[in-house]
Amino acid sequence: MENRWSKPVVIALEGPGKFTTISNATEASWALIEDWPLEDGVALDRALLVCAAVAEGKKSAEEARRAFLFAAAEAGIQVRD
């Protein structure tokens, strides 16, 4: 199993008030590819690269978490803390 993030990210991917919990880089990658409201974005591209690097052992799980949060901010997705 992939390293879990220290704290899951709870985001409104399917619209306001409909929250999804993302706990690791694999889940983040799927969300970025399948459910993301943007198709292009600097933070989106970076998050995808960092998540792939986690799978290769080149980046930490926490780096993927941070990149995912930046991508969510770029896309205007609500994050519950």
Side-chain angles (χ1 to χ4, degrees):
M1 179 78 160
E2 184 164 349
N3 293 336
R4 290 212 164 295
W5 293 345
S6 61
K7 181 178 179 183
V9 175
V10 182
I11 59 174
L13 263 184
E14 297 178 23
K18 295 181 181 179
F19 291 94
T20 301
T21 301
I22 306 295
S23 301
N24 60 48
T26 300
E27 292 174 2
S29 292
W30 280 107
L32 292 165
I33 293 166
E34 297 292 326
D35 302 319
W36 219 244
L38 299 180
E39 291 189 25
D40 293 314
V42 173
L44 169 60
D45 292 343
R46 169 113 175 98
L48 286 166
L49 289 173
V50 174
C51 287
V54 169
E56 297 170 357
K58 296 179 180 177
K59 297 280 184 182
S60 73
E62 292 307 308
E63 288 175 285
R65 184 180 186 279
R66 282 190 300 275
F68 185 74
L69 286 169
F70 279 117
E74 175 183 70
I77 296 172
Q78 182 184 2
V79 177
R80 187 191 305 173
D81 195 16

